[in-house]
Amino acid sequence: MAESSSPAKDRRRRSMEQPGSSFSGDSSSLLSEEQLLCSICLDVFTDPLSTPCGHNFCKSCLTQCWEKSQHCHCPLCKEKFTKKPELKINTTLREVVDLFKKKRGPDKPEVLCDACTGEKLKALKSCLDCCTTFCKTHLEPHNHVSKLKKHKLINPVENLEDYICQKHERPLELFCRDDQTCVCQFCTETDHKNHNTVPIEEESGERKTQLGKTQTDVQQMIEDRLKNIQEIKHSVELSKRSTEKEKASSVEVFTALIRSIERSQAELLEAMEEKQKAAERQAEGLIKALEQEITVLKRRDTELEQLSHTEEHLHLLQIYSSMCSPPHTKNWTEISINADLSGDTARTALSQLQQTLNKKLTKTLDDKLKEAELKRIQQYAAASSSNAAAIMPKRKCTFSKDLQRTYPFLQEVQNNAHQAYCTHLDVTLDPDTAQPYLILSADGKQVTHGDKRQNLPDTPQRFDPCVMVLGKQSFSSGRFYYEVQVRGKTNWDFGVVRENINRKGKITLTPQNGFWTVWLRNENQYQACAGPPVPLTLREKLETVGVFVDYEEGLVSFYDVKSRSHIYSFTGQSFTEKLYPYFSPGLNEGGKNSAPLIISPV
């Protein structure tokens, strides 16, 4: 009984041959999931018993097997036992099984047989043709009756109706890539005739591959954030050391002064302590935020790991879109602790002390002593200020630098006098680069996504399958500006790209790949594709966006034309080849995103 081949066992055996089948995640592990399966129920052992011949079975499975037979024999090797063995639970094997179950995650809810009339047994398979879930006993006809052998069997599920075409009442066995939905065989002869359809197993396999890449990205994000935490802790330690040095220097200064200025000394020390506490509070907040993001990313990593081994193909396809993109996170590329003790505090305090000392010494010392004492304090004040500026870390503020770079253009836009600041680029779309589903207007100023693929030559310049198109115009120096109308759209992305970008297959929008873009998804989710992406919070929905490029400065900026406000800037880029305007109107989405991207006259 145990040696007979079954689809379930074959699938389990094939899955064990795939990478990552070792449950421990350690390359040194000697046990795989297949070695922990009961050959009777084909599931992971429950209270495993070991027979005298050395084979293992679930306690309940072996008990039921021997109750139905006149003689006790091993279900696997068929060895007969003259006397029924007194078997005890193999505690070592049970501990290994428990460890495996813990690492594998919580078990799914048990699915029960629909055909059982009394006590319902655990289901073994669900039949998509019968629309019924069967236990092992009621599944037997499907193994022997020739007509039933052709039925489509899957692992038992509770929501069996989700696996059936509601229109034709046939199993959902195919995936339509044109409409991104699961269909039955009859659908391919009616609504989805001549569409690109593949078996759902094939599509699921490709999606698993993509999820694996996404999981790798998430894991890299986790590593980056752990590194950021270490850098923050290191910055706090440096700040603490600098604070101690500054405190020691200040104590040396104030102890040299007369007793009447002790109060000022205490106030300065208190201010320095407060700066240190503020730095530590800031670090604690950053660490907490990073740890929260790591928790979210680890949870997503676990979900991706489970989905990469799931056999529920339909479920995977249904949640694929939401799982494919990494969770929204902050941009942690510029992290620093605000612990700048520039020396102004000490300089101000010493100036006040000098005035106080002047008054005291006038009454108690002669002019010569006063002059010598004041000179000494002035020298120390100058040295203290210089040392403080030299030893304390400088806080990075690239955002303010970005504003300094982009502000001149913003000011010119607000004054309606930016014609002299840059060249207005008269952009027209290049049909030789347009993906076959894109429809361009006659004047080359508008682009939309069509419902049918056009018969166009597949040249190296043409994008495929990503729905993208470039402008005809290029530039390799100077400043340029153009505007794009996005009113009424729920999905789009555009910006500038370098000349030698990849135009075939999967494309990731990042500056590293030659794309400087922003996008909109799901009507109100704006993002700068900065790698990692940067979520954008805007006060109102964009209608027209201005794109400004300063080639020599390595600057690409986006503006809300209506509110005359800055959206996002890519700064510090290094352009070495021609740049082209880039556009993607997004998919039509059943008419929801049918509005065109329009290149507006400035």
Side-chain angles (χ1 to χ4, degrees):
M1 179 175 73
E3 286 295 320
S4 62
S5 176
S6 67
K9 188 171 182 180
D10 290 342
R11 279 194 296 271
R12 287 182 181 274
R13 180 175 293 109
R14 287 195 298 271
S15 68
M16 294 304 105
E17 297 172 358
Q18 301 301 319
S21 62
S22 172
F23 72 85
S24 69
D26 189 341
S27 60
S28 64
S29 174
L30 301 178
L31 290 177
S32 66
E33 181 179 359
E34 187 179 28
Q35 294 172 285
L36 302 178
L37 299 180
C38 173
S39 60
I40 297 178
C41 66
L42 300 180
D43 205 349
V44 179
F45 290 121
T46 301
D47 293 333
L49 300 177
S50 298
T51 61
C53 57
H55 296 123
N56 302 304
F57 306 93
C58 295
K59 180 179 180 180
S60 59
C61 294
L62 188 60
T63 301
Q64 293 178 10
C65 180
W66 283 357
E67 287 177 351
K68 296 177 182 179
S69 176
Q70 296 180 352
H71 303 284
C72 297
H73 64 278
C74 174
L76 190 60
C77 67
K78 307 302 181 183
E79 179 179 343
K80 294 183 180 180
F81 309 117
T82 56
K83 183 180 179 181
K84 184 178 180 179
E86 295 183 2
L87 303 181
K88 296 183 179 181
I89 295 176
N90 187 331
T91 56
T92 301
L93 181 56
R94 183 172 62 181
E95 291 175 357
V96 174
V97 171
D98 291 342
L99 177 61
F100 166 74
K101 290 181 177 179
K102 182 178 179 181
K103 289 182 175 292
R104 186 180 61 176
D107 293 334
K108 298 178 181 178
E110 187 175 86
V111 180
L112 302 179
C113 176
D114 294 333
C116 290
T117 57
E119 181 182 356
K120 291 186 177 295
L121 301 179
K122 179 181 177 181
L124 183 61
K125 291 291 179 181
S126 292
C127 178
L128 296 181
D129 294 272
C130 299
C131 295
T132 307
T133 299
F134 299 105
C135 64
K136 182 179 180 182
T137 302
H138 289 107
L139 187 66
E140 282 300 317
H142 283 74
N143 297 327
H144 303 294
V145 180
S146 57
K147 183 178 180 179
L148 297 180
K149 285 183 178 180
K150 299 179 181 179
H151 285 193
K152 179 71 173 182
L153 299 177
I154 63 173
N155 289 333
V157 294
E158 289 185 348
N159 54 334
L160 189 56
E161 64 276 3
D162 292 343
Y163 294 75
I164 305 297
C165 176
Q166 299 301 313
K167 184 175 182 179
H168 301 109
E169 297 183 354
R170 297 292 300 169
L172 295 171
E173 301 176 304
L174 303 171
F175 182 79
C176 177
R177 287 178 171 172
D178 292 341
D179 296 331
Q180 295 291 300
T181 186
C182 296
V183 299
C184 71
Q185 188 65 41
F186 287 171
C187 291
T188 62
E189 300 173 3
T190 54
D191 297 343
H192 299 267
K193 188 175 182 179
N194 298 327
H195 285 195
N196 181 15
T197 58
V198 296
I200 60 173
E201 291 83 359
E202 178 181 338
E203 184 68 16
S204 177
E206 294 184 9
R207 298 293 177 92
K208 286 182 181 180
T209 301
Q210 179 61 38
L211 288 174
K213 295 179 180 178
T214 303
Q215 182 184 11
T216 301
D217 294 340
V218 170
Q219 292 172 344
Q220 183 60 47
M221 293 171 71
I222 293 174
E223 293 180 4
D224 293 342
R225 279 147 181 77
L226 290 173
K227 183 179 179 181
N228 287 335
I229 290 177
Q230 295 300 320
E231 292 175 351
I232 290 173
K233 291 180 178 179
H234 182 62
S235 298
V236 172
E237 182 62 28
L238 291 178
S239 174
K240 188 174 182 180
R241 293 177 184 175
S242 299
T243 300
E244 293 301 324
K245 291 180 180 179
E246 184 72 7
K247 286 169 58 178
S249 299
S250 300
V251 170
E252 181 181 349
V253 171
F254 288 114
T255 54
L257 301 176
I258 60 178
R259 188 172 301 175
S260 62
I261 62 174
E262 289 180 352
R263 180 178 179 181
S264 297
Q265 176 189 12
E267 291 176 352
L268 178 60
L269 292 176
E270 182 179 356
M272 295 170 61
E273 289 286 355
E274 183 58 33
K275 282 182 178 287
Q276 173 59 28
K277 291 179 181 179
E280 293 178 350
R281 287 195 298 268
Q282 182 187 8
E284 290 174 358
L286 291 174
I287 292 173
K288 183 177 180 180
L290 282 164
E291 289 175 342
Q292 290 175 348
E293 285 196 6
I294 289 173
T295 300
V296 173
L297 291 170
K298 285 184 176 179
R299 187 183 303 117
R300 177 60 62 86
D301 181 50
T302 301
E303 293 171 353
L304 292 171
E305 175 65 23
Q306 293 176 354
L307 284 175
S308 65
H309 296 90
T310 183
E311 294 293 332
E312 297 181 9
H313 309 296
L314 181 60
H315 175 65
L316 183 146
L317 296 177
Q318 289 173 338
I319 68 172
Y320 170 78
S321 298
S322 62
M323 297 297 295
C324 188
S325 299
H328 289 297
T329 55
K330 295 182 180 178
N331 182 7
W332 297 94
T333 55
E334 295 290 348
I335 296 179
S336 60
I337 300 301
N338 186 11
D340 185 12
L341 301 177
S342 60
D344 290 338
T345 303
R347 188 183 303 111
T348 301
L350 288 173
S351 178
Q352 296 173 351
L353 295 177
Q354 180 176 334
Q355 296 175 7
T356 302
L357 186 59
N358 261 329
K359 296 177 181 179
K360 296 291 184 181
L361 293 179
T362 300
K363 297 179 181 180
T364 56
L365 302 175
D366 57 23
D367 292 341
K368 187 173 182 179
L369 180 60
K370 172 184 173 183
E371 181 180 356
E373 192 69 15
L374 288 176
K375 183 176 181 181
R376 186 184 67 80
I377 294 176
Q378 290 170 347
Q379 292 174 345
Y380 187 85
S384 177
S385 299
S386 176
N387 291 338
I391 65 176
M392 295 311 298
K394 299 295 184 181
R395 184 178 185 271
K396 296 182 179 179
C397 188
T398 58
F399 181 71
S400 63
K401 292 180 180 178
D402 296 347
L403 290 180
Q404 290 170 8
R405 290 183 176 185
T406 60
Y407 179 75
F409 181 70
L410 274 173
Q411 191 174 41
E412 296 294 339
V413 171
Q414 293 171 345
N415 294 334
N416 291 321
H418 52 285
Q419 290 84 351
Y421 188 82
C422 66
T423 301
H424 292 164
L425 192 64
D426 185 14
V427 179
T428 54
L429 301 172
D430 186 355
D432 293 337
T433 65
Q435 197 265 357
Y437 272 91
L438 295 183
I439 300 175
L440 276 55
S441 62
D443 61 358
K445 295 293 186 177
Q446 302 184 23
V447 55
T448 58
H449 182 271
D451 293 327
K452 294 184 179 180
R453 183 183 178 90
Q454 304 174 79
N455 186 16
L456 299 174
D458 185 15
T459 61
Q461 293 78 22
R462 190 178 305 283
F463 289 97
D464 201 11
C466 294
V467 287
M468 301 175 175
V469 62
L470 299 184
K472 289 183 178 180
Q473 295 71 24
S474 65
F475 47 92
S476 56
S477 63
R479 302 186 182 101
F480 297 90
Y481 177 77
Y482 61 93
E483 294 179 354
V484 183
Q485 180 179 312
V486 297
R487 186 184 304 113
K489 296 194 64 61
T490 61
N491 187 325
W492 52 257
D493 45 88
F494 58 83
V496 296
V497 300
R498 65 176 179 234
E499 184 175 22
N500 70 341
I501 55 170
N502 176 34
R503 307 190 186 193
K504 305 295 182 183
K506 177 186 175 182
I507 297 177
T508 303
L509 304 183
T510 63
Q512 292 79 7
N513 294 335
F515 291 79
W516 293 268
T517 61
V518 294
W519 78 15
L520 168 67
R521 294 292 185 269
N522 301 322
E523 296 189 40
N524 57 7
Q525 296 178 2
Y526 295 96
Q527 178 176 289
C529 304
V534 179
L536 303 175
T537 302
L538 305 180
R539 295 182 178 179
E540 56 186 32
K541 191 174 181 65
L542 295 176
E543 294 186 1
T544 303
V545 179
V547 183
F548 170 69
V549 180
D550 189 326
Y551 193 96
E552 282 73 19
E553 284 292 328
L555 174 67
V556 180
S557 294
F558 298 85
Y559 306 93
D560 182 352
V561 175
K562 181 179 179 181
S563 65
R564 295 183 177 180
S565 60
H566 176 253
I567 299 173
Y568 186 80
S569 290
F570 295 90
T571 61
Q573 308 299 309
S574 178
F575 301 137
T576 58
E577 9 177 326
K578 293 180 179 179
L579 298 181
Y580 286 82
Y582 156 83
F583 308 87
S584 173
L587 300 178
N588 190 284
E589 298 180 0
K592 186 178 180 181
N593 189 39
S594 60
L597 277 181
I598 303 175
I599 303 171
S600 303
V602 180

